[in-house]
């Protein structure tokens, strides 16, 4: 009898937990669903007649207008170029740095690791003015480099933290066996370490792509020429002086979200390994 009560109690707790998780999922999904509905509505529906529900009249032309009447293809190209180069640079530099601090013995490895980690505590807004002056003095204003270099620098701290934690959790016996067989540092790095830290690399790729793709403040300050504006800054142009195409803005927002959603669908399962990096650091 007591066993049946425990089974019923555990079943009830399980149902309540499922209901709670489903509610949380709906709450988190609603903004995205609202944005999709928003992108198919007219200005009248958005502002007055139907702000929250599904569109009464689905206006697919909002996507056509957003793509053709504004510079969405140009903004997409600029964002793809900046995000791709930033991601590659962050992964390459963080892999090399993390390998040097986590797997190699040298005098200032601990100090170097601490120094790069301190970058997590420096907001971009604090050094924005010196950064603008530096970019101007380097003659990089209104260029891709004015965004790629700061993005890479700001993303390196987190990337090194994740990769170093994973590398420290790998037993050194594997490398020692490779050294006995005649493998050097480079062979050990590319053949042993890199394949083992693929979950960490995928996590870094995910966070770096999303961060670079969605960044607004630096892109707004560094880029004034229309030909170099990225997507977050370009979306501001939808807001007109007298009339704003809110439906077109919603369509542009949906299109801007597609790359990050696709990347997350492919690499989202790696986030669990990224969140478990703390155990690797403690080890």
């Amino acid at each position: 009898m007591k066993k049946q009560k425990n089974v019923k109690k555990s079943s009830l707790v399980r149902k309540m937990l499922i209901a709670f998780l489903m509610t949380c999922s709906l709450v988190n999904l609603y903004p995205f669903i609202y944005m999709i509905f928003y992108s198919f509505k007219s200005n009248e529906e958005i502002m007055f007649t139907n702000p929250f529900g599904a569109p009464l009249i689905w206006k697919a032309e909002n996507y056509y207008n957003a793509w053709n009447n504004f510079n969405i293809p140009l903004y997409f190209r600029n964002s793809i170029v900046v995000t791709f180069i930033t991601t590659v640079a962050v992964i390459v530099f963080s892999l090399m740095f993390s390998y040097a601090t986590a797997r190699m013995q040298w005098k200032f490895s601990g100090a170097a690791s601490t120094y790069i980690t301190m970058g997590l505590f420096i907001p971009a807004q604090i050094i924005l003015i010196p950064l603008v002056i530096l970019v101007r003095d380097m003659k990089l204003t209104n260029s891709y480099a004015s965004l790629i270099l700061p993005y890479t620098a700001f993303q390196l701290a987190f990337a090194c933290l994740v990769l170093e934690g994973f590398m420290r959790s790998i037993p050194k016996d594997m490398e020692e066996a490779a050294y006995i067989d005649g493998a050097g540092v480079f062979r050990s790095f590319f053949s042993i370490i890199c394949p083992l830290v693929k979950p960490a690399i995928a996590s870094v790729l995910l966070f770096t792509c999303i961060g670079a793709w969605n960044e607004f403040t630096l892109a707004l300050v560094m880029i004034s020429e229309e030909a170099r504006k990225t997507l977050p800054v370009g979306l501001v142009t939808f807001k007109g002086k007298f009339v704003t195409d809110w439906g077109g803005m919603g369509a542009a927002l949906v299109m801007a979200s597609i790359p990050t959603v696709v990347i997350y669908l492919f690499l989202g399962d790696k986030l669990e390994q990224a969140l478990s990096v703390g155990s690797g650091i403690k080890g």
Side-chain angles (χ1 to χ4, degrees):
M1 191 72 176
K2 188 175 181 181
K3 187 176 181 180
Q4 289 180 349
K5 287 183 178 180
N6 290 334
V7 170
K8 289 182 179 179
K9 186 177 180 180
S10 62
S11 177
L12 179 62
V13 172
R14 180 180 177 83
K15 290 179 180 178
M16 291 176 63
L17 180 61
I18 292 174
F20 174 74
L21 293 176
M22 290 182 66
T23 303
C24 291
S25 299
L26 291 174
V27 170
N28 285 283
L29 281 174
Y30 178 74
F32 188 71
I33 296 173
Y34 172 79
M35 184 173 65
I36 294 175
F37 287 163
Y38 185 100
S39 67
F40 286 99
K41 293 180 181 179
S42 63
N43 282 3
E44 185 179 356
E45 276 195 75
I46 292 170
M47 294 297 178
F48 305 107
T49 60
N50 183 28
F52 299 109
L56 301 176
I57 301 175
W58 294 74
K59 295 191 62 176
E61 60 267 24
N62 286 341
Y63 285 85
Y64 178 84
N65 295 334
W67 188 263
N68 291 282
N69 296 342
F70 298 92
N71 288 328
I72 294 297
L74 174 65
Y75 302 147
F76 253 100
R77 186 195 69 185
N78 293 336
S79 289
I80 289 172
V81 170
V82 171
T83 301
F84 177 78
I85 298 177
T86 299
T87 303
V88 172
V90 168
I91 290 176
V92 170
F93 291 139
S94 60
L95 271 173
M96 293 189 295
F97 180 86
S98 299
Y99 182 75
T101 55
R103 312 298 295 184
M104 301 175 69
Q105 299 294 329
W106 48 290
K107 188 174 181 179
F108 297 106
S109 61
S113 178
T114 303
Y115 176 77
I116 198 73
T117 306
M118 288 173 61
L120 290 169
F121 305 100
I122 303 177
Q125 293 80 2
I126 291 180
I127 61 171
L128 187 59
I129 294 177
L131 187 60
V132 171
I133 296 173
L134 180 63
V135 168
R136 182 200 62 190
D137 293 342
M138 295 176 66
K139 311 297 183 184
L140 296 177
T141 307
N142 287 317
S143 66
Y144 290 139
S146 66
L147 298 180
I148 293 170
L149 294 177
Y151 288 177
T152 303
F154 285 120
Q155 295 285 348
L156 273 177
F158 176 78
C160 290
L161 180 67
V162 173
L163 290 170
E164 186 177 349
F166 273 83
M167 289 185 185
R168 288 188 186 278
S169 66
I170 299 172
K172 293 189 176 181
D173 298 344
M174 305 179 69
E175 283 176 288
E176 291 174 357
Y179 293 147
I180 292 174
D181 291 339
V185 174
F186 290 99
R187 180 67 180 273
S188 175
F189 174 73
F190 288 109
S191 300
I192 297 176
I193 299 299
C194 288
L196 290 176
V197 296
K198 281 183 179 179
I201 294 174
S203 301
V204 169
L205 189 151
L206 175 63
F207 284 110
T208 304
C209 281
I210 293 176
W213 184 269
N214 294 328
E215 202 284 325
F216 176 78
T217 305
L218 284 177
L220 179 65
V221 174
M222 298 294 184
I223 304 296
S224 59
E225 291 182 1
E226 188 73 14
R228 290 290 183 269
K229 286 183 179 179
T230 56
L231 199 54
V233 178
L235 292 177
V236 178
T237 61
F238 279 88
K239 187 173 177 59
K241 186 176 181 180
F242 301 104
V243 178
T244 299
D245 183 8
W246 297 108
M249 180 182 288
L253 289 172
V254 171
M255 289 188 286
S257 302
I258 290 174
T260 54
V261 171
V262 171
I263 292 173
Y264 184 83
L265 289 176
F266 279 101
L267 302 177
D269 59 328
K270 304 299 182 182
L271 286 178
E272 185 177 350
Q273 288 92 325
L275 295 175
S276 64
V277 67
S279 61
I281 295 175
K282 292 179 182 177

